């Protein structure tokens, strides 16, 4: 049974968000994260489907892989698979577009979500896009889906041309390196320079008292 507490379940595309700067430095999306890797889910289906939000922030560490997957949900797996053929995706990382997102396709698979005391279930098609650990700082990703032909997910009609955009800020905490003399210097404040290491003085240096 469909309930009003579950916000437009068909729009629950589970996107994910990473930093364009990191990609510019040579990171490439993968279809799988390494075995045993710590993975952060950058997209929150509860924010999108239960709370009706289109923007949020998630926390990560410099060791975390980022799951940038997306899902399209419908009343059952067959409907999700049929809908999938009529949906286009655009995922941008700080304005840079991820090429051919449907090459990361997976599914169909069962799907369910509980919002408060109400549960909805159905089928899903999706993308699995895993990003290697990102540099410290905020990384902004926007994800847009575009309905290319009229479709119905088993609950609602979506006319051709319908679009929705979600945004996630992936906030990666700096790694602090202890340094002799009581200085604690975030890892991102240490850069290679002239064949050696140069400390970026003034970038979040923190004095620590010795015990």
């Amino acid at each position: 049974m469909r309930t009003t507490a579950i916000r437009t379940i068909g729009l629950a595309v589970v996107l994910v968000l990473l930093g364009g700067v990191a990609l510019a430095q040579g990171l490439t999306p993968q279809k799988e994260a390494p075995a045993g890797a710590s993975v952060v889910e950058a997209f929150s289906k509860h924010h999108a489907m239960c709370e009706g939000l289109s923007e949020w922030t998630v926390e990560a560490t410099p060791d975390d892989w980022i799951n940038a997957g997306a899902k399209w949900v419908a009343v059952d797996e067959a409907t999700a698979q049929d809908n999938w053929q009529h949906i286009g995706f655009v995922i941008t990382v700080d304005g840079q577009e991820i090429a051919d997102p449907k090459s990361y396709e997976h599914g169909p698979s069962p799907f369910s979500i509980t919002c408060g005391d109400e549960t909805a279930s159905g089928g899903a098609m999706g993308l699995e896009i895993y990003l290697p650990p990102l540099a410290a700082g905020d990384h902004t990703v926007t994800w847009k889906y575009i309905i290319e032909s009229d479709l119905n997910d088993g609950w609602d009609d979506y006319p051709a041309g319908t679009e929705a955009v979600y945004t996630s800020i992936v906030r990666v905490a700096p790694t602090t390196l202890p340094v002799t003399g009581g200085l604690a210097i975030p890892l991102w404040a240490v850069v290679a320079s002239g064949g050696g290491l140069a400390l970026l003085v003034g970038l979040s240096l923190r004095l620590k008292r010795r015990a």
Side-chain angles (χ1 to χ4, degrees):
M1 179 180 298
R2 185 161 176 258
T3 64
T4 56
I6 308 237
R7 314 275 184 149
T8 316
I9 194 169
L11 303 186
V13 265
V14 181
L15 56 139
V16 187
L17 329 159
L18 51 246
V21 173
L23 285 180
Q25 295 173 345
L27 296 182
T28 55
Q30 305 293 324
K31 293 183 178 180
E32 296 181 355
S38 173
V39 177
V40 167
E41 304 288 338
F43 184 86
S44 169
K45 63 183 181 181
H46 283 274
H47 279 131
M49 297 175 64
C50 299
E51 300 177 29
L53 299 179
S54 61
E55 183 171 345
W56 52 83
T57 299
V58 298
E59 306 289 336
T61 75
D63 296 323
D64 292 328
W65 280 65
I66 306 301
N67 180 2
K71 292 186 186 296
W72 172 264
V73 179
V75 69
D76 54 37
E77 293 181 30
T79 302
Q81 192 167 24
D82 180 70
N83 289 171
W84 189 254
Q85 305 172 56
H86 308 289
I87 303 170
F89 300 86
V90 178
I91 301 174
T92 62
V93 180
D94 291 342
Q96 300 181 59
E97 187 173 334
I98 293 180
D100 192 16
K102 277 200 170 180
S103 65
Y104 301 91
E105 175 181 315
H106 76 100
S109 59
F111 180 87
S112 66
I113 185 171
T114 299
C115 298
D117 59 356
E118 301 177 56
T119 298
S121 60
M125 287 290 296
L127 308 173
E128 290 289 347
I129 305 176
Y130 292 93
L131 305 178
L134 304 176
D138 287 357
H139 299 273
T140 302
V141 174
T142 61
W143 186 94
K144 176 169 71 174
Y145 78 84
I146 306 161
I147 304 300
E148 298 172 339
S149 303
D150 294 349
L151 62 82
N152 183 290
D153 62 4
W155 297 298
D156 295 294
D157 291 318
Y158 298 92
T162 299
E163 297 184 358
V165 177
Y166 295 94
T167 300
S168 176
I169 306 299
V170 177
R171 181 159 294 160
V172 182
T175 296
T176 300
L177 294 177
V179 179
T180 301
L183 286 176
I185 305 173
L187 183 60
W188 53 265
V190 182
V191 296
S193 176
L197 290 178
L199 299 182
L200 300 183
V201 179
L203 293 183
S204 298
L205 294 182
R206 180 165 57 90
L207 289 175
K208 295 173 66 177
R209 293 182 180 273
R210 285 182 172 272

